Amino acid sequence: MKEALIFLVFSLLSTPNDIRNILYNGKEVRTTYRTNDKFYGHYTGLKEGYLKLNDDGTGEYRYDVFGFAPDHCLPETIHIEWGFLLNESDQIVSFKREYGLSYPILFKSVSATKFQGCRKEVILDFIMEYKDGTLGVSSSDDWKKQ
């Protein structure tokens, strides 16, 4: 009995804190922000918008063009928590595409400004890894990793 209790406590303490569930379309989705260092950093394009992925699972998302939104939805940088989707074996999900690989990623707003005119707290996006090794963001086709 004592061994079982010790094992249970050890198991709880050793659960990786880099795995988190994010509620998306009414379902808990298992994600992680612990990934290859190449994904961390700034993704920018020709305008002022950008995506920033920090290695602690936080970041920022700034629209190039904010679009139409209610008055309470200020066109500010969206502070996020993020995670790549995991499969049943806790491996990061990826899809082969003709340009390379596509990695589904969830962005969850943790600030007053949300996505799509403050209508969505969480959005699904994709980090694209091209055959030449460069990285991009699907939601803004000119954002590339710097």
Side-chain angles (χ1 to χ4, degrees), residues 7-121:
F7 177 76
L8 177 63
V9 170
F10 178 75
S11 295
L12 290 174
L13 292 175
S14 65
T15 300
N17 61 0
D18 54 1
I19 293 178
R20 66 167 75 120
N21 289 334
I22 298 177
L23 188 62
Y24 177 69
N25 285 344
K27 294 183 180 180
E28 292 281 330
V29 179
R30 197 162 162 84
T31 71
T32 188
Y33 54 86
R34 187 63 50 218
T35 185
N36 188 305
D37 288 349
K38 68 183 176 184
F39 292 107
Y40 303 132
H42 285 268
Y43 297 75
T44 59
L46 301 174
K47 300 177 186 162
E48 295 180 23
Y50 67 91
L51 170 66
K52 179 181 177 189
L53 299 179
N54 299 322
D55 65 0
D56 66 355
T58 65
E60 298 175 355
Y61 189 106
R62 176 94 180 169
Y63 281 106
D64 282 329
V65 177
F66 195 74
F68 298 104
D71 291 341
H72 74 277
C73 189
L74 302 176
E76 297 177 344
T77 300
I78 302 170
H79 297 276
I80 61 171
E81 290 180 345
W82 63 272
F84 285 109
L85 276 62
L86 294 173
N87 65 18
E88 302 80 27
S89 303
D90 283 344
Q91 301 298 311
I92 292 175
V93 174
S94 67
F95 301 103
K96 288 186 180 185
R97 303 288 189 226
E98 65 182 49
Y99 57 79
L101 293 173
S102 177
Y103 299 88
I105 187 170
L106 289 177
F107 301 134
K108 177 183 177 183
S109 171
V110 293
S111 58
T113 301
K114 310 287 186 216
F115 297 99
Q116 298 178 356
C118 291
R119 291 186 321 255
K120 294 210 174 211
E121 182 177 347

Side-chain angles (χ1 to χ4, degrees), residues 1 29 67 69 84 141-142:
M1 178 70 173
V29 179
F84 285 109
D141 57 3
D142 74 333

